[in-house]
Amino acid sequence: GDSGPAVDWIHDRLRDRAGLDTADAGPAILDDASLGALRRVQTAHGLVADGLIGPETLMALSSGDSDGPRLRRVLD
C-alpha cells in the first residue's frame, strides 16, 4: 500500500521490464499486481522472489537505465 516518488520510479520500471499494466498518471501504489510484477523481475534476474525491494532488486530494476545503482567492475 506504499506510495510516493520511489514507488512511481519502481512502477515505471515494472511497466517496462515486467509488463505491469497500470495507468501512467496518478500516484502509483504497491499493490498485489505490482508485487507480482516485482517477483517476476526478481525471478528473471536469479534473485529470491520475495517481493522485497532491497539493493539487488533495485539494481535489477535499474539494469536497463543509463543511471541508477551499479556494481563496480574494477576495484581501485
Side-chain angles (χ1 to χ4, degrees):
D2 289 341
S3 63
V7 177
D8 293 339
W9 182 89
I10 290 166
H11 264 231
D12 288 344
R13 271 91 199 142
L14 289 175
R15 275 190 220 95
D16 294 342
R17 291 160 180 75
L20 180 63
D21 186 23
T22 61
D24 290 339
I29 298 173
L30 281 179
D31 57 9
D32 290 338
S34 56
L35 291 176
L38 182 65
R39 287 185 180 100
R40 288 193 298 275
V41 167
Q42 289 173 323
T43 299
H45 285 272
L47 304 173
V48 175
D50 56 9
L52 300 176
I53 305 169
E56 292 175 328
T57 300
L58 288 172
M59 285 189 280
L61 287 170
S62 69
S63 64
D65 295 346
S66 60
D67 58 348
R70 296 277 188 261
L71 291 175
R72 291 180 65 183
R73 296 186 187 275
V74 178
L75 297 176
D76 295 333

